[in-house]
């Protein structure tokens, strides 16, 4: 078809139609909404990981176990509980920090962990955690070291 036949049939298009303008406004609003939703989701994940980290520290310092540090190794810390009269390992295993006893079973304490490091610092247990999304958390726990 040539230009003359389009004009003679009444299909002249001098500019955008109202429907085209509305469609582009709806698409723009949808794109902005998607970006805002993704930013909100990322901040919620970071807040949730921070809350989980503090819950993990609360378990570590709780009077329910009254943990004492027996030995610190790379990726594994040996704890003793005078309340239960048992030894526990705190270790990184498959993207989580878990507590294990001498026998079978474990208690997952923190998930989505990329890297963890425990160290003795000024009489405290220092815990440094890096999560899978790159967020880093650090805490000092006043746990006695048992020799």
């Amino acid at each position: 078809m040539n230009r003359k036949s389009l004009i003679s049939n009444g299909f002249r298009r001098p500019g955008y139609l109202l429907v085209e303008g509305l469609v582009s406004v709806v698409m723009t609003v949808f794109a902005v909404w998607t970006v805002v939703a993704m930013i909100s989701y990322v901040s919620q994940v970071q807040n949730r990981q921070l809350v989980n980290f503090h819950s993990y520290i609360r378990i570590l310092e709780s009077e329910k176990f009254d943990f004492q540090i027996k030995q610190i190794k790379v990726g594994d810390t040996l704890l003793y509980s005078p309340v239960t009269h048992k030894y526990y390992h705190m270790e990184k295993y498959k993207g989580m920090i878990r507590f294990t006893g001498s026998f079978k079973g474990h208690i997952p304490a923190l998930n989505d962990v990329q890297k963890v490091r425990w160290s003795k610092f000024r009489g405290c247990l220092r815990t440094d955690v890096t999560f899978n999304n790159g967020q880093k958390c650090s805490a000092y726990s006043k746990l006695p070291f048992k020799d």
Side-chain angles (χ1 to χ4, degrees), residues 3-141:
R3 184 168 168 79
K4 282 186 174 184
S5 64
L6 284 175
I7 293 173
S8 64
N9 289 337
F11 289 112
R12 289 184 10 168
R13 297 181 60 147
Y16 287 109
L17 295 174
L18 179 62
V19 173
E20 292 172 330
L22 289 174
V23 167
S24 43
V25 166
V26 167
M27 288 174 63
T28 304
V29 167
F30 181 72
V32 169
W33 175 77
T34 303
V35 169
V36 169
M38 291 302 294
I39 291 170
S40 174
Y41 175 75
V42 167
S43 69
Q44 286 177 1
V45 167
Q46 288 180 344
N47 288 340
R48 187 177 22 209
Q49 286 178 336
L50 187 61
V51 168
N52 290 342
F53 181 75
H54 287 288
S55 297
Y56 155 74
I57 295 298
R58 250 185 267 126
I59 291 171
L60 189 60
E61 296 176 343
S62 77
E63 293 177 1
K64 181 178 179 182
F65 293 102
D66 199 23
F67 284 126
Q68 299 172 349
I69 310 291
K70 180 70 176 166
Q71 184 179 31
I72 297 176
K73 295 181 186 176
V74 176
D76 183 19
T77 299
L78 183 62
L79 305 170
Y80 176 72
S81 172
V83 175
T84 61
H85 304 291
K86 293 181 182 178
Y87 286 92
Y88 296 90
H89 287 272
M90 183 171 54
E91 62 185 358
K92 180 181 177 288
Y93 175 77
K94 292 186 179 180
M96 72 171 145
I97 295 176
R98 70 178 185 172
F99 292 101
T100 61
S102 300
F103 300 102
K104 294 181 182 180
H106 70 268
I107 301 169
L110 195 58
N111 291 321
D112 298 325
V113 174
Q114 179 184 20
K115 187 170 49 171
V116 64
R117 182 173 177 259
W118 292 285
S119 59
K120 185 177 181 178
F121 185 78
R122 296 184 183 173
C124 297
L125 174 68
R126 178 178 174 162
T127 305
D128 296 305
V129 174
T130 304
F131 292 98
N132 289 334
N133 67 354
Q135 183 181 5
K136 295 180 180 182
C137 293
S138 183
Y140 297 94
S141 302

